Amino acid sequence: MPSVPDRKTVVRRRALVSQIKEFGQKEFGLPKTNNFSRYYSSRSWCFFVQWCSKDEIWEKDEDVDEKLFFDKKEAINFYRQKAKEGFDAFIYKAQSFTDEKLAKTSGSPLTPLHISMSHVDMAALIFHEDFHIWIKRSRPKAIMADSKIEESLADVFGEIATVLWAKNARKNIDHQKFFRKKIKEAVMACRVRELLEMVYKNANLSAEEKESKKIKIFKKYKNEILGTNKEWCYYKKINFASLYVNYLYNKHKKPFYDFFRSFGDLREVDLRVILERIKTIARRSDSSNDFIRAIKRYTDRNYKKLRK
């Protein structure tokens, strides 16, 4: 757990949080939320234990189970129990969460972990979580029906919003390197999923051969799965369960980055306009798959306009 910061440090961080949130509301049309408005010195991480079959790669969200813990020891004990039962299991350390008892009044709490985060990481987290509230209030069914769409979209929005905020706040950030790294991580997450899917759908391979190939793939791509921020994966455990979380946030990031980029330079785009376009496309879509297809069609049309 991060060291307890002094009062002045907490006050400065709360002022930064307010400034970031107000920028998002004014410039992007994000709603006012309680996220990170209240400081809780006794909390930092929350822990999601997730588990699934180790014999077959998951096909849908329902194939992976999860349970939330606020106590690390309880999470570790439960994780060990699931591993002993023969599941692929791991512990996901989440940087933000909403305590159900305080959800209506406090939102995701500000903790010692957030006090020590860089300004850029803090901004990305705030924009990501406030985007989720925008989704909940806008209620686009085609997005809400698939968590991989919502999380990928929240990540892309949060990262682009962070670059725009940093530019306004005169924070030094290499935007090209920043975006390139995020897209590369997303592409690699999808690539690993594709490789494993080919292995487990190959009827000519025995269970032992599939397991052997899985181990080799995870060993080869461990760093790509963990990404640059390895804190999210407790014990740095790489298996089907931890790959699911990585894939959850990355499956649609590349097409969403293409979509945002079709509106122009990512350092100059009007996110308020783009959010309204996303809302319109989602409301006209009959399903999550239809929404993704519509996003790609709109992207292609926008790129053609830019080239003229």
Side-chain angles (χ1 to χ4, degrees), residues 251-267:
K251 180 181 180 181
H252 298 292
K253 281 186 79 169
K254 178 60 167 59
F256 283 142
Y257 259 110
D258 291 340
F259 172 76
F260 278 81
R261 191 176 280 121
S262 74
F263 287 83
D265 188 334
L266 292 181
R267 295 171 300 169

Side-chain angles (χ1 to χ4, degrees), residues 40 99 132 136 170 232 251 258 266 270 281 305:
Y40 291 82
D99 186 323
H132 279 305
K136 285 180 173 59
R170 297 183 179 180
W232 66 274
K251 180 181 180 181
D258 291 340
L266 292 181
D270 188 334
I281 294 174
K305 292 178 182 178

